[in-house]
Amino acid sequence: MTAAAMTRLLASLLLLLLALPAHAARPYRGGVVASLYPQATEAGLQMLDRGGNAVDAAVAMAFAAAVVGPYHNGLAGGGFALVARQGKEPLALDFREVAPGAASRDMFLRDGKPVPGLSIDGGLAVAVPNAVNGYLALLEKAGSLPRSVVLAPAIRLARDGLVVTPKYRQMATGRLECLRGDSEASRIFLRPGNDGRPEVPALGTRLRQPELARTLERIATSGAAAMRSGPVAHSIVQTVRAAGGVLTAEDLAKVQPRWRSPLWGSYRGHRIATFPPPSGGGFILLETLGTLERLRPKAFERRAPADVHLYIEALRRAYADRARFISDPDQTEVETSRLLSPGHIAFVAASIDPARATPSSALQPSGSTGASASPPSELKHTTEISVLDRTGNAVALTTTLNYGFGSCLVARGTGLLLNDQMDDFSAQPGVPNVYGLVYGESNAVAPGRIPVSSMTPTLVFQKEHPERVLLAIGGSGGAFIPTSVLQVLMNIIDGGMNLPVASAAGRVHHQWLPDVVMINPDALDPPTRAALEAMGHTFKVSASPLGDVEAVMQDPDTGLRTSASDPRGEGAALGQP
């Protein structure tokens, strides 16, 4: 056996071992919670045990996650949330960051060419933070517990400190030079090595964050105003501008979360609510499901080469459509109703050759090069929080700083790690971002514009009881988010899997550009892969998770609940007896 073959075998065995504990779906009668971090999951369960609802739990989890998962999310980031409420219409809250008022279309170009790293590291990469505004707007609109109670776990975690895990070390190693570039980030997230230079801390190191604890206490006392004006806001502005950024105090004072209408679709008789633009993930989910249901009206077989081929081809077209058409709906018209109409779905389905892969270059929109597109980065980001409470209220909340450790800037004296969300714009139309995603002119940088996102918080409703939530789900992993959510959903509905098994199954990903199918080692058996290669598909095997899914579910027959945290991550899923 060759060394490469042995490596692939070991990777497959490792994934199998990780998945084995997930095969048993523990049932709960009360509320269920899941997130990337055990401490955040525990914070959510504490809120439910105190009589709080799904929103109280989700907000407590979001604040806690910002403390223990700085490489994935933070209070100076942003995101989306979907809320299902008993007897009421679902809520959709967009608290995504926006471009500063002084941002300009060509701000990441020099001599007409994009400068690598300029939209990822440092001051210019920072968009206007909106996470705290969003969390507290959710709490005010649909929560039931006081702000001080909901923030208490996060404050305690900041004081006590996070413990360095293998994931922390992986992410910090990948961003080491960036973190070294900021003295505050180095002091908080790194430790001196033998030569005195800041290094990635050893496993088990406890990193206390007293400045962040004080910022959280300010938020608990003053609400979102603590981030919009005063000393915290002043520090954010001063830090960004000292690092060459353009964010202003006026930007922080003006930014607001935005209530939107969920994006609705269906699959096999299940109503689905997902997030509308500026999310591109929700659109990809619904267009792909619509195309597959049209081509396979009875069922989808995840191991059948012909069906996997259709899945890949549907994804290829959905990601291409996202690049062409999805943008900030507040600045441009986004025709989601047309794009998800039966007519457009029929057009997409008819364009697929059932026997041959379509070259992605054949779907290239005008003005897009895509030739240099590379596979998505392995430094996954983003946090998903999924909750279903005892009475049936549910939340799917996705939040992020963008890349690992965001911009690597910490606002002096606040403990706030700042986002690098500006990379989700098109630095130049047709040029891929750090996740290999290609966009057009409609996602170019503009003052106050919201960048397109892959985040895909989603609620699936029961077929026989369409007012009741079957599944609250979302994921992390940049470009992999829509495909990971999509596959878990299909594993449950088409494959009849329980939630932990559906989450543990190997994944297949295609995002139009680059023209390569990424798979986990256990995703396809050799005959299936060989059949797909004969159809013209090119594969890249990745031992990385290809997305991290966090989900909660209610059995429509028994009413029992299950929760699942992707076994390839470090998260936890808990519930009430």
Side-chain angles (χ1 to χ4, degrees), residues 384-399:
E384 168 62 23
I385 289 162
S386 297
V387 184
L388 179 64
D389 68 23
R390 191 179 295 274
T391 61
N393 303 305
V395 176
L397 183 155
T398 317
T399 182

Side-chain angles (χ1 to χ4, degrees), residues 33-303:
V33 291
S35 83
L36 273 169
Y37 316 101
Q39 305 95 320
T41 300
E42 182 62 36
L45 192 62
Q46 289 173 15
M47 297 303 111
L48 296 182
D49 287 342
R50 293 192 64 151
N53 62 25
V55 169
D56 298 313
V59 173
M61 293 165 76
F63 275 107
V67 176
V68 298
Y71 44 86
H72 277 140
N73 72 118
L75 300 183
F80 302 135
L82 281 176
V83 182
R85 303 174 296 167
Q86 289 295 297
K88 299 179 181 178
E89 287 297 307
L91 299 172
L93 183 63
D94 169 7
F95 51 97
R96 183 91 159 131
E97 307 93 327
V98 303
S104 61
R105 183 186 181 280
D106 298 333
M107 64 189 290
F108 300 115
L109 307 182
R110 299 294 182 267
D111 298 324
K113 296 181 179 179
V115 178
L118 204 56
S119 62
I120 303 170
D121 307 337
L124 275 182
V126 182
V128 187
N130 210 7
V132 172
N133 296 329
Y135 302 157
L136 297 186
L138 274 178
L139 193 64
E140 182 177 347
K141 179 81 171 180
S144 64
L145 295 176
R147 191 167 61 226
S148 59
V149 172
V150 173
L151 269 71
I155 294 170
R156 184 182 65 255
L157 287 166
R159 287 179 183 150
D160 293 346
L162 66 90
V163 175
V164 172
T165 67
K167 175 59 70 175
Y168 185 103
R169 282 186 52 81
Q170 176 197 3
M171 299 296 290
T173 299
R175 297 289 276 159
L176 180 58
E177 291 307 317
C178 182
L179 290 168
R180 282 173 170 168
D182 182 75
S183 59
E184 282 285 273
S186 292
R187 179 179 63 82
I188 296 169
F189 300 117
L190 303 176
R191 288 294 178 266
N194 294 332
D195 61 357
R197 295 191 74 200
E199 297 290 349
V200 177
L203 285 175
T205 303
R206 187 172 292 275
L207 305 179
R208 291 182 170 83
Q209 301 178 75
E211 298 92 349
L212 184 58
R214 288 194 292 271
T215 297
L216 286 162
E217 288 169 343
R218 287 179 182 270
I219 294 168
T221 301
S222 305
M227 295 284 290
R228 303 171 69 82
S229 61
V232 173
H234 178 75
S235 177
I236 292 172
V237 172
Q238 291 299 107
T239 299
V240 171
R241 297 188 75 83
V246 296
L247 187 145
T248 67
E250 183 181 6
D251 291 325
L252 289 175
K254 285 173 57 178
V255 70
Q256 295 280 356
R258 300 155 290 268
W259 294 101
R260 301 196 185 277
S261 298
L263 189 62
W264 287 95
S266 66
Y267 187 66
R268 313 286 188 209
H270 294 272
R271 289 195 312 149
I272 298 175
T274 188
F275 216 87
S279 168
F283 165 75
I284 289 169
L285 178 76
L286 294 184
E287 182 177 283
T288 304
L289 288 173
T291 303
L292 291 176
E293 189 166 23
R294 185 176 182 88
L295 293 169
R296 290 290 185 268
K298 292 185 178 180
F300 175 87
E301 174 51 58
R302 66 185 297 270
R303 293 291 186 180

Side-chain angles (χ1 to χ4, degrees), residues 471-555:
L471 181 69
I473 186 171
S476 62
F480 300 123
I481 296 174
T483 51
S484 60
V485 171
L486 173 67
Q487 288 170 93
V488 174
L489 188 159
M490 293 172 65
N491 288 343
I492 291 168
I493 295 177
D494 286 317
M497 300 179 189
N498 68 39
L499 180 57
V501 172
S503 301
R507 297 188 183 127
V508 178
H509 173 84
H510 197 292
Q511 62 183 53
W512 173 49
L513 293 173
D515 194 350
V516 61
V517 184
M518 297 186 71
I519 59 172
N520 292 136
D522 60 337
L524 300 173
D525 56 63
T528 298
R529 178 174 169 180
L532 290 165
E533 287 174 333
M535 294 180 182
H537 297 289
T538 300
F539 289 89
K540 177 185 178 183
V541 179
S542 173
S544 73
L546 303 187
D548 186 312
V549 170
E550 310 295 320
V552 293
M553 182 176 173
Q554 177 171 278
D555 187 295

Side-chain angles (χ1 to χ4, degrees), residues 69 74 169 206 358 405 456 466 504 562:
R169 282 186 52 81
R206 187 172 292 275
T358 302
F405 287 93
T456 316
T562 54

